[in-house]
């Protein structure tokens, strides 16, 4: 077991080191694509960290992403960069804590639409504040951060997220979440503080999303609510994680990477019929891969006996 | 109130809970002494399961107190009650299908205070599997177990927490006669460990074999309480529960 | 009237029913005895076509093969189920529940007369016609469930734990009603944890253990069977019982 | 009405002279030994990423895409862009930025690194143009932002010398509008009550923030000053409240759907101020199609010299080329097309694919375009149309009045009529 | 005040109108239809095309577009969604699958509309004149839409409560398991209800197109608005849909008139969130889980 962990760790470190070299390729497009892949990998993984075990489908990704981006928009030119990231993370955590405590009693579609409404509310309030109080809408972010810096930060965050996810899965919290995912009533009777566990996880996941928003913000120079709080991000992340398979830590990556590449390929090859082709491929995936890419891999890796264990093991 | 020996583990006073207009538990009071096995009887829908849900914190009582080892736990969250030493099984057996047997039991003990070391936990899990008759099934997925083994696993999970009070909701239902005998012995042995038990059960032979005392509920109210034999021959009980056929066992 | 052969059902690896065979005649009450978890509920559901069974079953109703029919067509062919937990439409009114009971085409003719019959059986339902079903008491809900099933003009009525949650007096009343339903020419298949009471009104019974029929006989035979007594009648020998 | 001063022949002459000069310059370049490089070039690869899906689609579909397509078609029909002594056709690579800043940036990086395009045409809208600014600057591509209005334009032009901000600043827009109102008040054509609404977006807020002090300084009475969020479905409460205030001037810094809704609601509520000014979308052909005779006298942001032959010719060509004979909008469309002409002329003057030289030429050169002669100062044009007005079914620029082709404003606006 | 209330009612009526179909599709057929707004826009385009191309009044257009939408939605349910319904082991699984599938459908419909009509804004004038109503001046097209909304709403309400078929539809929403016990063909009823929802959203699209400017990409706005109304009212509840729609419309109009138009949407969302926090299953919903 330990040997396996060590081996896996070594492989992960090697992969990380190799990935860290991407900016050295000197091709800004590959770098941009890598940034995009990392962005969605982190977002979808963070999404899956909470929604996978608890099965709450959240559309609040954009809310946290936007909070991060806006923190940079407001403070990016004033404070040193690490401090900005720290403040963004703290803000994200606070918002997530409040939201988590107030909303986790909702279930099913009510939670889904609530989180969407929440995103819109935050966006409307930011707009209203900017319009009426600061009287600027659209802030300029001129900070001294290169594309490679963004990439490396995202890569570090990706590594941190996977490490965190791995640690959580091995921790008592991770086990508690698996029990909650199986049967929340049983979990409570086993002495699990289910509210705490869920809010803690929601907060962790949201903080990561906030950091992604903060890290990405310098890439666009200009931040306005419609850019920072673009609700498409929520949908894309949700779809990626679901397609990949949110029930495993590494599941969402399997959705994020191919879908990002697919988007890229289709929008490059078929700029005019992009949407139609995308829609068709999408439907095909839904019909062909009912349990996501992770489910497909699991199915392939299990023997013909058909004992497909559908849920995660630590 | 208590007829058993020692201090009451559970004392319930004036417990009430209504759903809309339907009063499911109405002014229920009773006490369970240390080491006692108490039967909670009554027709389906008489409020037994609601009472268990109130005690274990699934539901919040409208009125009344529930004392576990002297501490009022009425309205406390389930997980807190569980950590105070209460464990239960469910009428429709609930095991964690996505996990193996070992993990199912681990769920029962991992969140209790103080935390066990990993090694101690493994030892306890092994002992529990042994005890309920699931030795050697550690890595077997719970979903693959038969009905009776699922029941065993659920009990092992409840026992993992070393509870002071154990609530068994029709745990013996659906067992064949030989399994029933094993089950009765198992429950009896728990008492020897100092576990106090509240048993909701329809299998009368088991009630007679196990329970020191019984309470009978009907339409949310307690209609009888006393030694098992007395209660089962009580006219009101016979009318309400045994369906108008007098029992003179 | 109703003939069931080779009915098997599995949940995952767990075989809930194994080769069950039984029949219910017109104007007959047949009860199924069995412990919780023995498969009684699954049996009724399987006959009514609401759960998927293993291949090979044969279900005939009045000589017609209904094995392959969907649940809603089985109702059309004259078999109604009052499921465990009643299955009434809680958000709809009593009147609407009864209206839906008469949804099968076979029930349209004589609907008004049948409604009167049902309301005569359960006068409370007439008083509560405009009430939202879930706000009624358990007993009233049970009446509604049975009344709704009767509205479909069934030849066979399957009842799963109809006495659940009813007061003793109401149980007596309910069972008296079931006898009247039988007199109307309906065959009843009754699953009831109150074995004593159900054997009292039943003509025949089957004993179901772990998904297998392990015995059957007339109600009197079953009542006097020691094994049945021990397992399902609380060990009370009915021979010495005096009616209260 | 509009002064028709320059005789036709004069214009023709200027045109010819200019062309001769260009030809001469090109020949010069060719003889200086650049031919070899030009010959190696069999096509000019031009790339753009534009919003074909997402919220920006509406704007891009009216203002940007048809002009890009029209220009490419025309240039290629004429044999291509003249590099040295030969014409090289344009080869287009295009992507969808899905109205998303991140996609826009990445698409551009793809165009630059994978497709190795020679030139890049900008996306639609202020936000996306700002988002791609750093990339284009870093990679040294000329950035002719024809659909971005930002007050930071002068600063951005300094920061990114490759960027050209052709639509001007909102401060300038607001100032021009207030100057016009001031003049009208001096002429006793209007009183001094103003009602102003703005959309809660970068565009609306910038403009209203600039207009607010300008109006107050000019001693206008700001009777109503509110903003509304994007996506507001019914603007009736705003219009009704403004009507109750009975202002002389109604100003809306709005986006196309709201521009239409505000106009419609004003007509229905009978809000009939002497000056009725709405934002983006007023200059759209859709506006005239929807309101017909009622457009008469409506003012809006932008405008063009509707009487100029170049514009008339452009309008005709646009109609002929675009799908369903769609007309261009009367503001940024023409600027967009002009920016393409500028790019082409700069490339042709340089005579080879030398982006640094093209940028230099754009900074310093003078260009002949559909919107007239353009000479940039500090990477920005020296004149803009800020206020236009529908007059007789055409949207004419009316302010700044010093602009060539400026028409006189019709004030007060005729009352709304039943459609 | 009257004016603000009247405006609010018209706006709220529109919200209720665009949500009615979704509450059927989601409440009864259990399909979380993310492509809902695209169907609305498609109907708006159809109406625009009929009106500008063939001078067919949107009222007549309703008679053409609505039945067509019914057939189309029925086919979509049968062909695309039935396989998902069949394979879903429970309601949650169907929800995830239907979200994914209809998300794909969104792209297809939107892409087709972009190909057919381009990305530009569309708008036309129909009944765009003022009328006096309750002493206030309002737009005839909005008033007509409100009128038709009320008619449709009443007709639907009557059909759902007064007829056996309608009651059967509600029965499927309340308890699909029990519904089959009263001889309701649940898959068929679901398909028909989904189609009816599609017909309603088409009606909404036609009516909305008479007074709103739209483009091929504005569908998602309507999807989300409809979802919010549906969830706020309680899934599957027609009355809840109406009340929630009106509450949102009124709050929007009142806030615009008396507080600040800039806060309308914020107040809308706050109201929605507050309702859910107090009643987690919406105004007229019952918490089942």
């Amino acid at each position: 077991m330990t040997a396996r962990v060590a081996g896996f760790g070594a492989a992960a470190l090697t992969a990380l080191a190799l990935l860290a070299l991407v900016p050295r390729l000197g091709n800004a497009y590959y770098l941009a694509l890598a940034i995009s892949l990392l962005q969605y990998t982190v977002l979808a993984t963070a999404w899956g960290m909470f929604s996978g075990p608890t099965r709450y489908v959240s559309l609040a990704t954009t809310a946290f992403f936007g909070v991060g981006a806006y923190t940079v928009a407001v403070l990016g030119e004033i404070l040193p960069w690490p401090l900005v990231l720290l403040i963004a993370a703290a803000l994200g955590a606070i918002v997530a804590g409040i939201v988590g405590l107030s909303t986790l009693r909702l279930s099913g579609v009510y939670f889904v639409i609530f989180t969407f409404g929440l995103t819109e509310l935050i966006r409307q309030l930011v707009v209203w504040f900017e319009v009426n109080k600061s009287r600027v809408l659209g802030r300029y972010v001129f900070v001294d951060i290169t594309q490679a810096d963004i990439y490396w930060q995202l890569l570090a965050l990706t590594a941190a997220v996977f490490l965190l996810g791995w640690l959580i899965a091995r921790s008592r919290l991770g086990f508690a979440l698996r029990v909650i995912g199986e049967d929340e009533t049983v979990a409570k009777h086993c002495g699990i503080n289910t509210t705490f566990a869920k809010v803690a996880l929601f907060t962790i996941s949201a903080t990561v999303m906030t950091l992604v928003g903060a890290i990405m913000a310098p890439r666009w120079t200009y931040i306005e609510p419609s850019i920072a709080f673009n609700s498409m991000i929520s949908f894309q992340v949700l779809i990626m994680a679901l397609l990949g398979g949110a029930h495993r830590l590494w599941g969402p990556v399997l959705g994020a990477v191919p879908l990002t590449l697919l988007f890229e390929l289709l929008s490059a090859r078929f700029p005019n019929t992009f949407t139609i082709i995308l829609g068709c491929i999408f439907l095909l995936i839904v019909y062909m891969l009912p349990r996501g890419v992770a489910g497909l891999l699991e199915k392939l890796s299990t023997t013909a006996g058909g004992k497909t264990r559908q849920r995660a093991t630590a | 109130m208590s007829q058993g020996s020692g201090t009451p583990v559970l004392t319930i006073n004036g417990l009430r809970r209504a759903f809309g207009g339907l009063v499911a538990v109405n002014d229920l009071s009773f006490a369970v002494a240390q080491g006692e096995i108490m039967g909670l009887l009554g027709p389906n829908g008489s409020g037994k399961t609601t009472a268990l849900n109130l005690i274990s914190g699934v539901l919040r009582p409208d009125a009344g107190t529930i004392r576990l080892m002297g501490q009022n736990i009425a309205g406390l969250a389930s997980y807190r009650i569980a950590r105070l030493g209460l464990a239960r099984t469910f009428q429709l057996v609930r095991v964690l299908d996505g996990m193996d047997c070992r993990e199912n039991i681990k769920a029962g003990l991992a969140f209790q205070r103080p935390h066990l070391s990993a090694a101690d936990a493994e030892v306890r899990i092994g002992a529990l599997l042994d005890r309920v008759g699931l030795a050697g099934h550690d890595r077997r997925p719970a979903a693959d177990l038969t009905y009776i083994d699922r029941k065993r696993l659920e009990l092992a999970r409840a026992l993992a927490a070393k509870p002071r009070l154990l609530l068994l909701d029709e745990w013996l239902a659906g067992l064949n006669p030989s399994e029933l005998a094993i089950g009765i012995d198992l429950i009896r042995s728990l008492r020897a460990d100092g576990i106090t038990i509240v048993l909701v059960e329809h299998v009368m032979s088991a009630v007679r074999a196990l329970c020191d005392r019984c309470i009978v509920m009907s339409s949310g109210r307690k209609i009888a309480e006393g030694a098992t034999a007395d209660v089962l021959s009580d006219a009101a009980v016979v009318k309400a529960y045994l369906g108008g056929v007098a029992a003179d066992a | 009237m109703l003939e069931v052969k080779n009915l098997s059902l599995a949940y995952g690896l767990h075989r809930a029913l194994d080769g069950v065979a039984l029949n219910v005649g017109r104007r007959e009450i047949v009860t199924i005895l069995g412990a919780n978890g023995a498969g009684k509920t699954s049996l009724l559901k399987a006959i009514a076509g609401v759960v998927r069974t293993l291949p090979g079953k044969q279900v005939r109703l009045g000589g017609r093969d209904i094995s392959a029919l969907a649940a809603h067509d089985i109702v059309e062919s004259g078999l109604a189920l009052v499921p465990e937990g009643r299955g009434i439409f809680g958000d709809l009114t009593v009147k609407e529940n009864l209206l839906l009971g008469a949804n099968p085409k076979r029930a349209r003719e004589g609907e008004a007369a049948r409604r009167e019959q049902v309301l005569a059986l359960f006068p409370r339902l007439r008083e509560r016609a405009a009430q939202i079903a879930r706000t009624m008491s358990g007993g009233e809900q049970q009446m509604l469930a049975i009344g709704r099933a009767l509205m479909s003009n069934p030849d066979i009525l399957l009842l799963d734990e109809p006495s659940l949650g009813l007061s003793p007096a109401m149980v007596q009343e309910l069972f008296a009603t079931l006898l009247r339903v039988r007199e109307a020419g309906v065959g009843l298949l009754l699953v009831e944890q109150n074995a004593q009471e159900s054997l009292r009104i039943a003509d025949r019974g089957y004993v179901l253990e772990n998904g297998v029929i392990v015995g059957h006989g007339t109600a009197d035979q079953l009542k006097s069977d020691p094994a049945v007594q021990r397992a399902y009648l609380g060990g009370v020998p009915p021979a010495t019982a005096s009616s209260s | 009405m509009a002064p028709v001063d320059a005789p036709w022949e004069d214009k023709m002459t200027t045109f010819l002279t200019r062309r001769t000069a260009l030809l001469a310059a090109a020949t010069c370049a060719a003889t200086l030994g650049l031919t070899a490089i030009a010959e190696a070039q069999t096509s000019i690869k031009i790339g753009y990423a534009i919003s074909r899906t997402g919220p920006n689609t509406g704007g891009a579909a009216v203002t940007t895409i048809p002009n890009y397509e029209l220009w490419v078609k025309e240039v290629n029909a004429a044999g291509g862009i003249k590099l040295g002594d030969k014409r090289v056709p344009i080869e287009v690579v295009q992507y969808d930025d899905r109205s998303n800043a991140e996609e826009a940036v990445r698409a551009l990086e793809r165009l630059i690194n994978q497709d190795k395009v020679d030139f890049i045409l900008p996306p639609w809208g202020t936000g996306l143009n700002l988002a791609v600014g750093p990339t284009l600057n870093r990679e040294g591509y000329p950035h002719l932002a024809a659909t971005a209005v930002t007050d930071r334009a002068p600063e951005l032009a300094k920061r990114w010398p490759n960027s050209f901000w052709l639509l001007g600043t909102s401060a300038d827009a607001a100032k021009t509008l207030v100057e016009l109102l001031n003049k009208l008040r001096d002429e006793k054509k209007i009183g001094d009550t103003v009602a102003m609404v703005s959309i809660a977006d970068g565009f609306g807020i910038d403009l209203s923030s600039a207009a607010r002090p300008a109006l107050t300084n000019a001693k206008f009475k700001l009777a109503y000053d509110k903003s509304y969020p994007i996506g507001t479905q019914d603007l009736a409460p705003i219009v009704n409240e403004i009507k109750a205030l009975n202002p002389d001037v109604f100003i809306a810094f709005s986006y196309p759907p709201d521009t239409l809704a505000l106009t419609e609601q004003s007509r229905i509520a009978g809000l009939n101020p002497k000056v009725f000014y709405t934002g983006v979308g007023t200059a759209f052909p859709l506006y005239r199609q929807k309101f017909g005779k009622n457009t008469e006298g409506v003012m809006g942001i932008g405008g063009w010299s509707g009487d100029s032959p170049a514009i008339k010719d452009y309008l005709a060509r646009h109609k002929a080329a675009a799908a369903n004979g769609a007309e261009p909008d009367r503001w940024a469309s023409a600027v967009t097309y002009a920016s393409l002409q500028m790019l082409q002329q700069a490339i042709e003057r340089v005579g080879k694919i030398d982006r640094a030289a093209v940028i230099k030429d754009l900074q310093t050169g003078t260009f002949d375009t559909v919107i007239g002669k353009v000479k940039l100062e500090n990477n920005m044009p020296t004149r803009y149309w800020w206020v236009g007005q529908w007059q007789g079914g055409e949207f004419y620029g009316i302010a700044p009045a010093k602009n060539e082709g400026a028409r006189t404003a019709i004030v007060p606006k005729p009352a709304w009529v039943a459609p | 005040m009257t004016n603000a209330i009247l405006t609010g009612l018209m706006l709220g009526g529109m919200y209720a109108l665009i949500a009615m179909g979704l509450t059927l599709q989601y409440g009864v057929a259990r399909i979380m239809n993310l492509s809902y707004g695209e169907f609305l826009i498609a109907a708006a385009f159809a109406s625009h095309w009929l009106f500008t191309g063939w001078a067919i009044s949107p009222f007549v257009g309703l008679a053409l577009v609505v039945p067509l939408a019914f057939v189309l939605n029925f086919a979509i349910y049968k062909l695309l969604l039935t396989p998902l319904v069949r394979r879903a082991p429970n309601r949650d699984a169907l929800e995830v699958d239907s979200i994914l599938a209809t998300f794909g459908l969104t792209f297809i419909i939107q892409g087709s509309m972009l190909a057919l009509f381009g990305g530009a804004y569309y708008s036309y004038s129909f009944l765009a004149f003022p009328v006096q109503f309750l002493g206030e001046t309002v737009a005839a097209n909005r008033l007509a839409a409100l009128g038709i909304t009320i008619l449709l709403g009443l007709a639907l309400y009557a059909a759902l409560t007064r007829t056996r078929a309608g009651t059967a539809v509600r029965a499927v929403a309340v308890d699909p398991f029990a519904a089959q016990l009263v001889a309701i063909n649940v898959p068929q009823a679901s398909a028909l209800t989904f189609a009816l929802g599609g017909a309603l959203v088409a009606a909404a699209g036609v009516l909305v197109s008479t007074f709103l400017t739209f483009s091929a990409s504005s569908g998602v706005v309507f999807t989300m608005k409809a979802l919010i109304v549906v969830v706020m009212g309680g899934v599957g509840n027609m009355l809840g849909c109406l009340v929630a729609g009106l509450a949102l419309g009124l709050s929007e109009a009142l806030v615009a008139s008396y507080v600040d138009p800039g806060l309308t949407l914020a107040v809308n969302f706050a109201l929605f969130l507050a309702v859910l926090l107090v009643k987690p299953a919406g105004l007229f919903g019952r918490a089942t889980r």
Side-chain angles (χ1 to χ4, degrees), chain E residues 17-276:
Chain E
L17 173 69
I18 61 175
M20 270 196 290
L22 189 66
T23 205
L24 282 182
Q25 291 189 337
Y26 185 56
V28 180
R30 321 237 155 180
I31 297 296
M32 165 77 138
N33 187 358
L34 282 187
S35 59
Y36 187 77
E38 317 306 321
F39 284 97
L40 188 140
I41 297 299
F45 271 117
S47 179
H48 181 272
W49 181 70
L50 287 172
F51 184 74
T52 55
W54 306 87
I56 293 172
S57 143
F59 291 144
V60 181
L62 275 178
L64 297 171
V65 174
V66 171
L68 186 70
F70 185 90
V71 172
L72 198 68
N73 276 276
F74 188 80
I76 285 174
Y77 187 90
K78 281 285 177 192
L79 295 176
L80 284 180
L81 300 172
T82 306
L84 299 181
V85 176
R86 287 232 179 92
R87 88 176 185 206
N90 55 45
R91 192 173 175 176
D92 285 353
L94 177 59
E95 212 155 82
V96 169
D97 273 356
S98 62
I99 287 176
L100 292 174
T102 54
F103 191 71
L105 201 56
T106 304
F107 281 118
I108 296 178
I109 302 173
Q110 201 187 87
S112 314
M113 290 192 300
L114 281 169
L116 280 172
F117 302 100
Y121 290 108
Y122 282 76
S123 179
Y124 59 94
S125 285
F126 174 72
L127 293 185
F129 51 81
V131 286
Q132 293 296 313
F133 184 69
L134 301 178
E136 298 290 341
T137 311
V138 294
N141 46 23
R142 281 189 186 252
L143 193 64
L146 179 68
I148 293 176
T149 304
I150 292 171
L151 280 181
L152 275 177
L154 285 180
L156 200 62
Y157 185 77
L160 284 175
T161 54
R162 301 271 183 273
T163 69
R164 197 194 305 271
T167 313
V169 164
R170 282 159 63 218
V172 174
V174 172
D175 188 343
F177 170 78
Q180 50 183 346
L181 298 178
V182 292
I184 296 170
N185 185 343
V186 175
Q188 190 73 8
S190 296
L192 288 171
T193 314
F194 185 86
L196 184 62
L200 279 174
V201 71
V206 171
L207 292 174
V208 161
S209 74
T210 63
F211 54 87
L212 282 189
T213 302
F214 56 93
S215 75
S217 38
S218 31
V220 63
V221 178
F222 293 100
T223 307
M224 293 324 293
K225 201 91 205 180
L227 269 173
I228 280 176
V229 174
V230 165
V231 164
M232 185 169 156
V235 170
N237 192 308
M238 217 31 94
L239 195 63
C241 185
L242 192 68
V243 172
L246 290 178
L248 291 178
L250 279 174
S251 71
E252 199 171 319
L254 291 174
V255 168
S257 302
Y258 297 103
V259 187
D260 182 349
L263 279 176
T264 47
L265 296 188
V267 167
N268 257 358
F269 286 113
L271 184 69
F272 162 71
L273 300 187
V275 163
L276 275 200

Side-chain angles (χ1 to χ4, degrees), chain D residues 52-59 61-62 200 224 226-238 240-241 255-258 260-261 264-265 267-270 284 286 289-291 324 418-419, chain E residues 3 7 11 14-15 48 52 110 114 118-125 128-130 137-142 210-213 215 217 221-222 225 252-253 256-265:
Chain D
R52 289 194 182 267
T53 50
N56 287 358
T57 319
V62 172
Y224 187 94
K226 296 268 174 72
S227 72
Y228 60 89
I230 300 179
T232 303
Q233 308 268 11
D234 192 348
L235 295 157
I238 295 175
N240 290 336
E241 199 175 334
Y255 275 164
D258 335 312
L260 294 173
E264 172 131 332
Q265 192 57 43
R267 196 167 58 70
I268 282 165
F284 281 14
L286 175 64
Q289 180 202 319
K290 185 169 164 80
F291 295 112
N324 329 322
Chain E
N3 198 301
T7 307
L11 189 59
M14 182 189 108
Y15 289 158
H48 181 272
T52 55
Q110 201 187 87
L114 281 169
Y121 290 108
Y122 282 76
S123 179
Y124 59 94
S125 285
F129 51 81
T137 311
V138 294
N141 46 23
R142 281 189 186 252
T210 63
F211 54 87
L212 282 189
T213 302
S215 75
S217 38
V221 178
F222 293 100
K225 201 91 205 180
E252 199 171 319
S257 302
Y258 297 103
V259 187
D260 182 349
L263 279 176
T264 47
L265 296 188

Side-chain angles (χ1 to χ4, degrees), chain B residues 201-230:
Chain B
E201 200 51 78
H202 288 298
V203 182
M204 284 305 134
S205 55
V207 172
R208 285 171 212 278
L210 284 169
C211 298
D212 308 303
R213 290 192 306 128
C214 286
I215 282 175
V216 184
M217 292 181 70
S218 177
S219 305
R221 289 183 176 275
K222 181 172 81 176
I223 58 164
E225 175 173 9
T228 304
D230 298 345

Side-chain angles (χ1 to χ4, degrees), chain C residues 19-51:
Chain C
V20 171
L22 57 80
N23 61 71
V24 181
R26 191 182 287 277
R27 249 183 250 280
E28 189 182 32
I29 299 182
V30 176
T31 187
I32 311 248
L33 301 179
N36 279 356
K40 294 172 299 190
T41 296
S42 300
L43 174 58
L44 293 198
K45 282 185 171 173
I47 295 171
V50 294
V51 288

Side-chain angles (χ1 to χ4, degrees), chain B residues 22 43-45 144-147 170 173-177 179 202 204-205 208 218-219 239-248, chain C residues 13-14 35-38 137-138 161 163-168 172 193-194 196-197 209-210 230 234 236-237 240-244:
Chain B
L22 181 77
N44 278 351
D144 291 356
L145 296 179
T146 62
Y147 182 68
E170 302 197 20
L175 305 192
N176 66 32
E179 290 168 342
H202 288 298
M204 284 305 134
S205 55
R208 285 171 212 278
S218 177
S219 305
K239 185 167 162 19
Y241 187 39
L242 301 174
V245 184
D248 64 345
Chain C
L13 297 177
H14 173 58
N36 279 356
S137 77
E161 305 263 10
S163 75
L164 198 109
L166 304 192
S167 72
Q172 302 287 345
Q193 60 118 3
N194 192 335
Q196 246 139 0
E197 195 68 15
E209 256 177 34
N210 292 325
R230 201 171 49 243
V236 188
T240 60
S242 61
S243 197
S244 55

Side-chain angles (χ1 to χ4, degrees), chain D residues 41-335:
Chain D
Q41 198 84 27
T42 53
S43 71
I44 294 186
K45 242 185 181 180
I46 290 191
Y48 56 88
I50 199 81
S51 306
R52 289 194 182 267
T53 50
N56 287 358
T57 319
V62 172
T63 302
T64 303
I65 299 172
N67 285 302
Y68 287 0
E69 287 172 353
L70 171 66
W71 177 68
V72 170
K73 196 171 137 190
E74 286 181 347
V75 169
N76 282 346
I81 290 179
K82 198 159 169 28
L83 284 187
D85 57 356
K86 67 179 276 203
R87 291 197 174 270
V88 180
I90 296 173
E91 189 189 328
V92 172
V93 186
Q94 52 166 325
Y95 298 132
D96 177 6
D97 64 33
R98 308 213 293 278
S99 307
N100 175 324
E102 174 55 25
E103 299 298 330
V105 171
R106 199 169 68 249
L108 254 57
E109 274 159 352
R110 184 183 178 110
L111 287 171
I112 294 164
N113 291 285
Q114 298 310 106
D115 305 312
K116 309 222 181 291
V117 296
D118 298 313
F119 291 97
I120 286 177
L121 307 181
W124 180 88
T126 307
L128 292 188
N129 267 294
L130 287 165
V132 300
T135 307
L136 290 173
N137 176 53
R138 193 180 60 234
E139 305 286 344
Y141 279 75
H143 179 187
L144 286 150
T147 50
V149 179
T150 164
D151 280 339
R152 291 243 196 155
E155 183 197 327
L156 292 169
K158 269 202 203 82
R159 187 182 280 271
W160 305 323
N162 65 313
S163 68
F164 304 90
W165 303 87
L166 306 180
L167 222 45
T169 68
S170 32
D172 197 24
K175 199 185 86 207
T176 309
L177 175 61
V178 175
E179 273 168 7
L180 171 70
L181 294 177
N182 224 347
K183 183 166 147 272
L184 290 171
R185 186 175 53 182
D186 291 347
E187 292 167 4
K188 305 274 182 240
K189 285 184 174 161
I190 59 172
D192 54 16
T193 354
V194 177
M196 178 169 83
V197 292
S198 49
I199 188 154
D201 190 7
F203 167 80
I205 299 314
D206 266 11
L207 277 162
S208 61
S209 305
R212 195 170 295 116
L215 285 165
T216 326
N217 289 342
K219 303 267 182 321
F220 277 99
K221 209 170 113 245
L222 203 49
Y224 187 94
D225 175 15
K226 296 268 174 72
S227 72
Y228 60 89
I230 300 179
T232 303
Q233 308 268 11
D234 192 348
L235 295 157
I238 295 175
V239 171
N240 290 336
E241 199 175 334
I242 291 176
K243 173 158 194 283
L245 298 167
N246 193 24
D248 296 292
V249 177
F250 172 78
I251 300 173
F253 297 117
S254 50
Y255 275 164
D258 335 312
T259 298
L260 294 173
L262 281 167
T263 309
E264 172 131 332
Q265 192 57 43
S266 300
R267 196 167 58 70
I268 282 165
L271 169 62
N272 241 324
K274 297 191 177 75
V275 169
F276 187 90
Y277 171 98
T278 44
V280 183
T282 318
F284 281 14
L286 175 64
Y287 194 85
R288 185 186 58 199
Q289 180 202 319
K290 185 169 164 80
F291 295 112
K293 283 196 296 269
N294 268 316
T295 55
E296 187 65 16
V298 170
M299 293 188 199
I301 193 162
W304 68 14
S305 318
D307 295 320
S308 97
I311 284 288
K312 282 186 169 150
D313 179 46
Y314 163 67
L315 176 59
R317 281 183 287 138
H318 190 288
K319 268 171 85 168
N324 329 322
E327 291 187 11
D329 77 89
R330 267 68 169 158
W331 178 32
S333 267
V335 178

